[in-house]
Amino acid sequence: MSFVQRVNPAWFLAGAAFFLPIKPAPVNLLLALALVFVLVNQSTRSRLASLFKHPISLAAYALIAWLLITLFFETSNFDSARDYLSKYLRLLLLPFLAAAFLNKQETVTVLDVFCMGVFVSVLGSFAVAFGFFPWPEGSESPLLFKLHITHNFFIALATGYVAYRLRMQWSNIQVWVKAVVLVALALTLYNFFFMVEGRSGWVAMAVLPVVVAYQRIGFKGSLLAAVAVSVVLCALYFGSDFFHTRVNAVFIEVQQWVDGQAIAQDTSNGRRLSFWLHSLEAFVQAPWFGYGMGGFESAVTPHAQAAGFTFEFNNPHNQYLLFAVQGGLLALVLYGIFIGAVLLRNQSQHLVLLHGFILAYVLLNMLNSFHYDFAEGVFFVLGLAALAFPVDQS
């Protein structure tokens, strides 16, 4: 076997995972290299046939096939669809990326390296706060790489994963490694709760312990975890001015929108509520099959203009509404089947991780369009390939 055939595609996936919380350009290159070497390497190439037939792959391909069909709707526009096309087509990568994992350790390594990238982004945030780099224009948070939503969402996923790994292997970890990891966790959580404004990440962080408790103990355990999380959130709300201000902003901005105040058009939550309302108005006029992948903007614009909403948008910051307007109820059903195929995958070696990972996306897709956003969309495919598909070798 030649040197090229011996190159492990999982190495490139680890590199892509590291750069996802940092910069997009290396991610695209590393994913392309991973695909090339999956096809070159005989061991990974031989896995593709079975992975293409896997229920998760079939469900993803059914969703993509329907969205592609909607391109031919009269209400769709191909130029507008280009913005969504490449992002949805990432789901086609699932069996190829899953083929790169030839043993269980490789899946863990890729997720470990992702956490390293997340910590680099945290250190970058501290560097901005300490004045080593300029504060990002228009941001309330010290961020060096990603927007606050991505930054905090990735922290929530990474800290949940690290807690899982520590619990599983605590007795086998050297003392100095434990100390380093715990210090890194402390810095990360401080950055998460007291420095960066992303409320979506806080929601994800709150739901993960409940999922773990349900997996381990059952319904009663999830209730106890929910109570514990509520106590912690209350302590943060009353004990941290930063947390208190960010939470109160939600109530204030929602009330402004309900009262019809003009300022609501310029607030984060006011705009989001308008996005949702006008998307729903468009959806109810074409509920079954939608307006096509490229028909979103033309579908919602008349409703927005009729209400005096002047902010143009092609993303409602809600993945379900985006699918609903583009592909109707059929798109939502196909997406539900896809998620169901993942959750019913009960042979994963890391079932708790898989369920926590998927449910974090399912929940946060109500507040954002994570299959539209680059970093979140790529990590969904990468994380799913690592956690949900079978690995042949131990």
Side-chain angles (χ1 to χ4, degrees):
M1 184 182 295
S2 69
F3 170 76
V4 172
Q5 291 176 314
R6 291 196 300 270
V7 173
N8 189 342
W11 299 343
F12 301 108
L13 295 187
F18 176 79
F19 281 106
L20 264 177
I22 302 172
K23 290 293 182 183
V27 173
N28 289 321
L29 175 61
L30 290 163
L31 285 177
L33 289 171
L35 289 176
V36 169
F37 284 99
V38 162
L39 297 174
V40 169
N41 186 298
Q42 183 177 355
S43 298
T44 55
R45 189 174 64 246
S46 64
R47 301 188 64 215
L48 286 174
S50 62
L51 291 172
F52 282 136
K53 299 175 184 177
H54 195 280
I56 295 174
S57 299
L58 294 175
Y61 286 2
L63 173 63
I64 295 300
W66 169 242
L67 291 173
L68 290 175
I69 290 171
T70 68
L71 289 173
F72 298 96
F73 289 4
E74 289 185 4
T75 49
S76 186
N77 179 287
F78 187 76
D79 288 336
S80 299
R82 289 178 184 173
D83 193 35
Y84 310 96
L85 191 58
S86 63
K87 299 171 183 180
Y88 291 162
L89 290 179
R90 294 187 196 118
L91 292 174
L92 299 179
L93 296 176
L94 276 170
F96 294 96
L97 301 190
F101 298 105
L102 292 174
N103 59 66
K104 296 176 181 179
Q105 183 56 44
E106 289 174 354
T107 64
V108 171
T109 298
V110 168
L111 296 176
D112 286 348
V113 174
F114 167 73
C115 293
M116 295 177 190
V118 170
F119 188 59
V120 169
S121 72
V122 169
L123 294 178
S125 178
F126 276 103
V128 171
F130 293 146
F132 293 104
F133 297 99
W135 197 283
E137 185 176 350
S139 174
E140 299 179 23
S141 305
L143 294 166
L144 185 59
F145 299 117
K146 297 293 183 179
L147 294 174
H148 62 274
I149 292 175
T150 304
H151 180 90
N152 265 14
F153 180 63
F154 278 176
I155 285 179
L157 294 180
T159 52
Y161 171 75
V162 170
Y164 171 85
R165 288 273 277 143
L166 287 175
R167 180 187 176 279
M168 296 294 290
Q169 299 188 1
W170 182 259
S171 60
N172 299 323
I173 302 174
Q174 295 181 344
V175 174
W176 71 270
V177 175
K178 292 177 183 177
V180 170
V181 172
L182 291 176
V183 169
L185 271 176
L187 291 172
T188 299
L189 290 174
Y190 182 86
N191 180 260
F192 179 81
F193 283 115
F194 304 115
M195 294 175 63
V196 178
E197 60 190 293
R199 289 168 295 214
S200 297
W202 296 346
V203 173
M205 180 74 80
V207 75
L208 290 175
V210 179
V211 173
V212 173
Y214 180 80
Q215 285 285 339
R216 297 297 185 190
I217 309 173
F219 182 70
K220 291 182 178 179
S222 65
L223 285 179
L224 290 173
V227 170
V229 167
S230 299
V231 171
V232 172
L233 291 177
C234 286
L236 287 168
Y237 180 78
F238 291 107
S240 166
D241 290 339
F242 179 81
F243 193 87
H244 186 275
T245 300
R246 292 299 297 161
V247 172
N248 278 357
V250 176
F251 297 105
I252 293 170
E253 291 170 9
V254 169
Q255 189 61 52
Q256 290 170 340
W257 185 84
V258 171
D259 293 341
Q261 297 182 32
I263 193 176
Q265 287 201 27
D266 298 319
T267 65
S268 172
N269 293 286
R271 282 181 180 174
R272 184 176 265 106
L273 288 169
S274 293
F275 294 164
W276 295 354
L277 172 64
H278 302 315
S279 297
L280 279 170
E281 290 172 336
F283 165 68
V284 297
Q285 293 191 343
W288 301 111
F289 306 118
Y291 298 84
M293 196 189 305
F296 179 85
E297 194 167 358
S298 60
V300 300
T301 297
H303 301 284
Q305 290 178 342
F309 186 72
T310 58
F311 190 88
E312 295 183 2
F313 65 101
N314 64 353
N315 172 18
H317 291 269
N318 181 307
Q319 187 65 59
Y320 305 107
L321 285 174
L322 186 56
F323 279 148
V325 174
Q326 291 176 322
L329 284 172
L330 182 54
L332 290 178
V333 168
L334 290 171
Y335 185 70
I337 292 172
F338 170 57
I339 296 299
V342 175
L343 292 177
L344 293 174
R345 162 67 187 167
N346 56 12
Q347 297 177 355
S348 173
Q349 59 173 324
H350 301 295
L351 193 60
V352 173
L353 278 182
L354 176 61
H355 283 184
F357 173 81
I358 290 299
L359 291 177
Y361 270 90
V362 167
L363 179 62
L364 270 295
N365 269 336
M366 290 191 289
L367 303 174
N368 303 282
S369 302
F370 276 167
H371 296 297
Y372 177 80
D373 297 328
F374 174 79
E376 292 89 340
V378 171
F379 189 63
F380 178 84
V381 175
L382 183 56
L384 201 57
L387 294 172
F389 287 84
V391 178
D392 291 340
Q393 302 175 23
S394 60

